[in-house]
């Protein structure tokens, strides 16, 4: 009951590492980060946490539960949230929600905060949401809205981390004796995570180019390094938890105790579906043995065409001959008319005399 109340107050599943400041997030950068986040979420558990009074430039990655509304973030907004979709190459579609004129009640003197959240409606995982806060146009605060949007202090969070995707979807991760469990990264790992998700875009002192092409290349290289490091951490974590002398087994007792049979079956189905999709996705379009269309002149025969040509040539010669006869006859008739007109005055003169 306490967890449901906390979720109503904005408790959500967040990517565990801080993503650092980010001056702006372009649509292309958001797509790249969401695609990378889909891979990272396969082996990184998300933690239950709040988004409260974020500063401008902050970036969050959350896994939004379908039955829950978007979590409260501690900001009050004087504008309605706008939604629009952007088609992306490759059949993907980016859905963007944007709201402006936000402020922290009792702290800000003007409403200048803006929030944009991105998710891949097509071509990605629609429950992974990227949230970015920035500075927008300022406007005076409406006094009636200058009140806290949530109750303080926030409820403490004691829930363990959860795998939201991949083979371990639904499995909980409890902290170890030292206070850190699988999926939690060191300080250096957190810095790598922030860089891998595209942090430092256009920020002074970050040594990252500000143009989009260089940014995407930088993000891709950092995300590749982050994935390799996360896989190594995951392998080390699995090796430390597995007892000596015990062979790897997908149907182990530890795994069956952590997650339900339905969740495990669903995870395996999705994994097998993805593997089969990689095999057949290129063979599903078109036919490799398609019959080439016949040439456009295949409906004609050479002998018939030559016979028609010779017939047309003879008709043309015959028409030319007829035309020449008509011209000759017309010329003779013209000469006769001229001769008659020349003899006409002499005859009339004779009659007159």
């Amino acid at each position: 009951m306490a967890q449901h109340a906390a979720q109503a107050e904005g408790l959500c599943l967040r990517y565990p590492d801080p993503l650092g400041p980010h001056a702006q997030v372009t649509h292309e950068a958001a797509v790249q980060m969401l695609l990378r986040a889909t891979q990272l979420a396969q082996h990184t558990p998300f933690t239950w946490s709040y988004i409260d009074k974020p500063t401008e430039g902050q970036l969050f990655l959350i896994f939004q539960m379908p039955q829950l509304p978007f979590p409260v973030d501690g900001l009050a907004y004087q504008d309605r949230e706008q939604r629009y979709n952007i088609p992306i190459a490759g059949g993907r579609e980016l859905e963007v929600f944007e709201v402006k004129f936000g402020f922290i009640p009792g702290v800000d003197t003007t409403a200048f905060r803006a929030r944009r959240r991105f998710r891949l409606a097509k071509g990605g995982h629609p429950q992974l949401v990227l949230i970015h806060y920035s500075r927008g146009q300022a406007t005076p605060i409406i006094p009636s809205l200058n009140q806290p949007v949530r109750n303080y202090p926030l409820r403490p969070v004691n829930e363990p981390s959860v795998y939201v995707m991949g083979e371990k979807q639904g499995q909980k991760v409890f902290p170890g004796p030292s206070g850190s469990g699988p999926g939690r990264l060191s300080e250096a790992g957190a810095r790598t995570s922030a860089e891998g998700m595209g942090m430092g875009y256009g920020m002074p002192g970050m040594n990252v180019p500000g143009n989009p092409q260089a940014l995407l290349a930088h993000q891709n290289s950092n995300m590749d390094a982050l994935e390799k490091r996360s896989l190594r951490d995951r392998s080390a974590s699995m090796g430390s938890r597995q007892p000596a002398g015990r062979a790897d087994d997908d149907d182990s007792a530890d795994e069956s105790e952590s997650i339900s049979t339905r969740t495990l079956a669903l995870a395996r189905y999705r994994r097998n579906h993805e593997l089969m999709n990689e095999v057949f996705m290129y063979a599903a379009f078109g036919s490799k043995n398609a019959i080439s269309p016949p040439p456009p002149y295949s409906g004609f025969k050479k002998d018939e065409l030559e016979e028609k040509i010779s017939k047309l040539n003879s008709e043309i010669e015959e028409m030319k001959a007829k035309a020449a006869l008509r011209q000759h006859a017309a010329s003779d008739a013209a000469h006769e008319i001229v001769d008659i007109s020349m003899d006409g005055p002499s005859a009339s003169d004779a009659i007159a005399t």
Side-chain angles (χ1 to χ4, degrees), residues 8-62:
E9 295 177 1
L11 187 67
C12 61
L13 282 170
R14 278 177 45 185
Y15 186 74
D17 304 312
L19 302 181
H22 210 69
Q24 58 179 338
V25 176
T26 63
H27 296 151
E28 294 79 6
V31 171
Q32 291 294 328
M33 285 188 279
L34 286 171
L35 292 176
R36 292 291 186 174
T38 304
Q39 302 174 10
L40 289 175
Q42 302 284 334
H43 46 75
T44 303
F46 279 43
T47 59
W48 289 101
S49 181
Y50 295 99
I51 299 177
D52 187 52
K53 301 176 183 179
T55 60
E56 54 185 288
Q58 270 195 287
L59 189 69
F60 299 93
L61 175 66
I62 69 170

Side-chain angles (χ1 to χ4, degrees), residues 190-256:
R191 289 197 300 269
T192 307
S193 173
E195 294 175 357
M197 288 297 293
M199 298 307 99
Y201 174 74
M203 294 290 291
M206 291 293 182
N207 297 324
V208 180
N211 61 83
Q213 292 80 6
L215 170 67
L216 294 178
H218 179 73
Q219 290 172 349
N220 291 336
S221 62
N222 285 336
M223 289 293 284
D224 290 336
L226 177 61
E227 289 173 6
K228 294 178 181 178
R229 179 197 53 73
S230 298
L231 289 175
R232 289 196 301 268
D233 293 346
R234 181 190 178 195
S235 300
S237 170
M238 293 295 293
S240 62
R241 291 194 305 168
Q242 182 176 358
R246 181 174 181 176
D248 291 319
D249 188 2
D250 288 342
D251 297 327
S252 64
D254 292 341
E255 186 174 14
S256 61

Side-chain angles (χ1 to χ4, degrees), residues 30-328:
V31 171
Q32 291 294 328
M33 285 188 279
L34 286 171
L35 292 176
R36 292 291 186 174
T38 304
Q39 302 174 10
L40 289 175
Q42 302 284 334
H43 46 75
T44 303
F46 279 43
T47 59
W48 289 101
S49 181
Y50 295 99
I51 299 177
D52 187 52
K53 301 176 183 179
T55 60
E56 54 185 288
Q58 270 195 287
L59 189 69
F60 299 93
L61 175 66
I62 69 170
F63 184 85
Q64 186 170 357
M65 307 295 287
Q67 69 273 17
L68 296 179
F70 184 76
V72 181
D73 55 8
L75 300 182
Y77 296 93
Q78 299 183 169
D79 190 20
R80 297 185 61 181
E81 192 169 43
Q82 303 295 326
R83 171 184 173 275
Y84 54 92
N85 290 18
I86 300 175
I88 305 296
R92 297 186 175 91
E93 185 174 319
L94 181 67
E95 187 177 52
V96 184
F97 293 84
E98 184 175 6
V99 61
K100 302 178 181 178
F101 308 126
F103 62 94
I104 300 177
V107 177
D108 295 334
T109 57
T110 57
F112 64 92
R113 302 178 187 271
R115 181 188 70 197
R116 286 198 303 171
R117 47 191 177 109
F118 310 87
R119 76 181 188 101
L120 286 174
K122 296 180 181 179
H125 201 293
Q127 290 179 252
L128 287 176
V129 181
L130 193 68
I131 310 168
H132 180 245
Y133 294 88
S134 61
R135 174 180 287 270
Q137 183 180 0
T139 187
I141 296 177
I142 301 175
S144 60
L145 297 179
N146 197 4
Q147 300 177 2
V149 296
R150 66 183 357 159
N151 297 324
Y152 292 97
L154 298 176
R155 297 173 184 265
V157 181
N158 298 319
E159 293 295 323
S161 303
V162 181
Y163 284 97
V164 297
M165 296 175 58
E167 298 180 5
K168 295 185 177 182
Q169 181 179 9
Q171 181 175 346
K172 297 181 179 181
V173 180
F174 295 90
S178 60
S180 62
R184 295 188 61 84
L185 307 178
S186 62
E187 182 179 356
R191 289 197 300 269
T192 307
S193 173
E195 294 175 357
M197 288 297 293
M199 298 307 99
Y201 174 74
M203 294 290 291
M206 291 293 182
N207 297 324
V208 180
N211 61 83
Q213 292 80 6
L215 170 67
L216 294 178
H218 179 73
Q219 290 172 349
N220 291 336
S221 62
N222 285 336
M223 289 293 284
D224 290 336
L226 177 61
E227 289 173 6
K228 294 178 181 178
R229 179 197 53 73
S230 298
L231 289 175
R232 289 196 301 268
D233 293 346
R234 181 190 178 195
S235 300
S237 170
M238 293 295 293
S240 62
R241 291 194 305 168
Q242 182 176 358
R246 181 174 181 176
D248 291 319
D249 188 2
D250 288 342
D251 297 327
S252 64
D254 292 341
E255 186 174 14
S256 61
E257 291 176 0
S258 302
I259 55 178
S260 64
T261 304
R262 181 179 181 278
T263 303
L264 180 61
L266 180 61
R268 288 177 175 172
Y269 170 79
R270 289 180 177 174
R271 177 192 62 186
N272 296 336
H273 180 75
E274 292 174 356
L275 293 175
M276 296 300 292
N277 183 57
E278 291 293 332
V279 176
F280 294 106
M281 65 183 298
Y282 296 105
F285 302 97
S287 175
K288 294 184 178 180
N289 300 321
I291 301 175
S292 58
Y297 51 83
S298 61
F300 302 95
K301 295 182 179 180
K302 184 177 180 180
D303 298 337
E304 294 180 357
L305 292 176
E306 290 179 350
E307 182 180 355
K308 291 181 179 180
I309 291 173
S310 61
K311 183 178 179 180
L312 290 174
N313 288 334
S314 62
E315 291 179 357
I316 291 172
E317 293 297 332
E318 183 179 354
M319 294 175 67
K320 287 182 178 180
K322 291 180 179 180
L325 291 175
R326 286 197 298 270
Q327 290 179 357
H328 183 69

